[in-house]
Amino acid sequence: MNASREKREELHEAYVRELEPAQARLRKRLSGPGDPQLDGSVESLDAVNAWFLTRILEPREAETADLPSWWDPASPTAESDVPGSGPFTSGQLALIEEMQAYVGEVMTNARPDATWVIYKGHKLDFRNGQTMLQTGKGMPFAVQGIVYGEALGAFLYRREVPVKQLSELVRTALAR
């Protein structure tokens, strides 16, 4: 990220501030009798991720949502019909944001010492400036990138994303 330090801090604070509202929106979405239970445990991730990977495949042109703070507002969403836009609609981006927030909740429940940090790596690292979750020593966990990557794999590339992949990554990060 080529933004100034102040802008990176502003985006980081916005990301962290949006976590609880995104968690609340996901809980509202998943309040039906057959929906996965959002108990904040690592064990719940597989069922929630299976639901997420199914729902992300459903384009939501009719459903518009506010763009998450991590999305570049200059990048048009899929429903804008601007050439080169997408791949996701604002509704799908909201779903991705909600899933990111839930993964963060699961991880901070399991590791109360986990903290949201602004990643700073090598000057050419594309992840510089991103908000990540530090769960111990070593590389912080890129919640945003991992969930967004799953959505890209399933929706854009039409790949079968293993449901357990996310929970395995989370367990590995929590073990550090």
Side-chain angles (χ1 to χ4, degrees):
M1 176 183 288
N2 293 327
S4 69
R5 185 172 54 113
E6 292 79 18
K7 183 64 175 175
R8 289 190 304 265
E9 288 174 7
E10 178 186 318
L11 291 171
H12 169 76
E13 289 169 13
Y15 184 90
V16 172
R17 195 174 42 251
E18 291 171 359
L19 290 170
E20 282 187 35
Q23 292 162 357
R25 287 192 311 272
L26 185 62
R27 281 186 163 62
K28 187 174 179 182
R29 277 188 207 258
L30 291 174
S31 58
D35 291 334
Q37 297 301 305
L38 298 174
D39 64 6
S41 70
V42 176
E43 293 73 27
S44 70
L45 275 178
D46 289 341
V48 176
N49 198 31
W51 175 88
F52 169 72
L53 291 169
T54 299
R55 293 279 298 181
I56 202 66
L57 294 175
E58 304 166 1
R60 299 174 189 5
E61 283 85 8
E63 176 189 323
T64 58
D66 291 335
L67 295 175
S69 62
W70 48 266
W71 185 257
D72 179 0
S75 297
T77 57
E79 71 261 32
S80 69
D81 290 329
V82 173
S85 64
F88 298 112
T89 64
S90 60
Q92 287 170 308
L93 290 172
L95 183 61
I96 293 167
E97 177 184 38
E98 292 163 16
M99 187 65 184
Q100 291 172 6
Y102 186 67
V103 171
E105 176 184 344
V106 166
M107 293 181 77
T108 56
N109 284 347
R111 288 284 300 264
D113 62 327
T115 55
W116 291 100
V117 299
I118 300 172
Y119 179 72
K120 178 145 177 51
H122 186 274
K123 66 180 180 178
L124 298 177
D125 193 330
F126 73 94
R127 298 169 295 194
N128 275 328
Q130 290 182 4
T131 296
M132 295 187 184
L133 194 57
Q134 186 71 55
T135 57
K137 295 187 183 214
M139 178 74 178
F141 191 76
V143 175
Q144 175 188 342
I146 290 167
V147 174
Y148 189 81
E150 274 200 341
L152 280 175
F155 181 75
L156 183 62
Y157 303 121
R158 300 293 182 192
R159 293 186 184 134
E160 187 170 330
V161 176
V163 169
K164 292 187 177 290
Q165 176 178 283
L166 180 60
S167 63
E168 290 168 3
L169 289 170
V170 166
R171 282 186 176 91
T172 300
L174 292 174
R176 288 191 244 147

